[in-house]
C-alpha cells in the first residue's frame, strides 16, 4: 500500500521545506493510530524523507549494537557508554521525527 503523495502547494505551512516541491506523504487519517501505522509503513516507500529516516535508523541500530558491546566488556569506560546512549537517543528521536511528523501539526511540533 503506497501513501498518496502531495506537492508543496498541497501541504500545511508547517510541513513545507524550501526547494522540495514534491514527495510529501499524506499520512493524515481520522484515527491517529491509523495515521501512525501508515507513517510507519511509509518507511518502506520512496518519498522526500526516506533518506533521513533510513540513515538515522541505521545509525540508531549501529549505536545500540556498540552500546551492548560496550556494556559486555566490564572494563569499558563509562563516558563511552554515555556517548552511545546519547547517540541512540539523538538518532532514535530524529528517526521518529522524520517518520511520524506528517501525522498532524501538533505531532510535527511535538516531535
Amino acid at each position: 500500500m503506497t501513501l498518496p503523495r502531495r506537492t508543496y502547494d498541497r501541504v500545511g505551512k508547517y510541513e513545507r521545506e524550501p526547494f522540495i516541491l514534491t514527495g510529501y506523504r499524506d499520512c493524515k487519517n481520522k484515527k491517529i493510530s491509523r495515521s501512525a501505522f501508515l507513517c510507519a509503513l511509509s518507511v518502506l516507500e520512496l518519498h522526500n524523507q526516506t533518506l533521513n529516516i533510513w540513515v538515522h535508523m541505521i545509525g540508531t541500530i549501529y549505536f545500540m549494537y556498540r552500546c551492548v558491546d560496550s556494556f559486555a566488556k566490564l572494563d569499558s569506560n563509562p563516558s563511552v557508554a554515555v556517548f552511545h546512549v546519547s547517540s541512540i537517543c539523538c538518532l532514535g528521536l530524529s528517526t521518529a521525527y522524520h517518520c511520524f511528523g506528517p501525522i498532524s501539526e501538533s505531532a510535527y511540533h511535538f516531535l
Side-chain angles (χ1 to χ4, degrees):
M1 166 202 261
T2 58
L3 290 174
R5 302 286 180 256
R6 296 180 290 163
T7 58
Y8 183 85
D9 57 335
R10 301 254 182 204
V11 296
K13 289 185 180 183
Y14 67 95
E15 285 183 89
R16 293 181 182 173
E17 295 291 336
F19 308 111
I20 299 177
L21 304 178
T22 61
Y24 293 93
R25 293 172 290 162
D26 190 7
C27 292
K28 291 173 181 57
N29 197 304
K30 299 210 185 291
K31 294 182 180 179
I32 238 2
S33 61
R34 174 87 172 130
S35 298
F37 180 71
L38 290 174
C39 281
L41 279 180
S42 74
V43 168
L44 303 173
E45 300 174 6
L46 192 59
H47 48 77
N48 65 353
Q49 292 290 337
T50 303
L51 190 60
N52 287 327
I53 293 170
W54 277 98
V55 167
H56 296 154
M57 189 184 330
I58 290 169
T60 302
I61 293 167
Y62 172 76
F63 280 108
M64 288 172 83
Y65 166 76
R66 296 293 297 171
C67 187
V68 168
D69 189 46
S70 164
F71 282 130
K73 298 174 186 169
L74 297 176
D75 62 340
S76 65
N77 189 343
S79 61
V80 172
V82 169
F83 170 73
H84 288 144
V85 171
S86 300
S87 299
I88 292 166
C89 290
C90 177
L91 292 169
L93 289 171
S94 181
T95 301
Y97 168 78
H98 289 293
C99 187
F100 299 111
I103 291 176
S104 67
E105 186 171 1
S106 60
Y108 183 85
H109 291 300
F110 175 76
L111 294 171

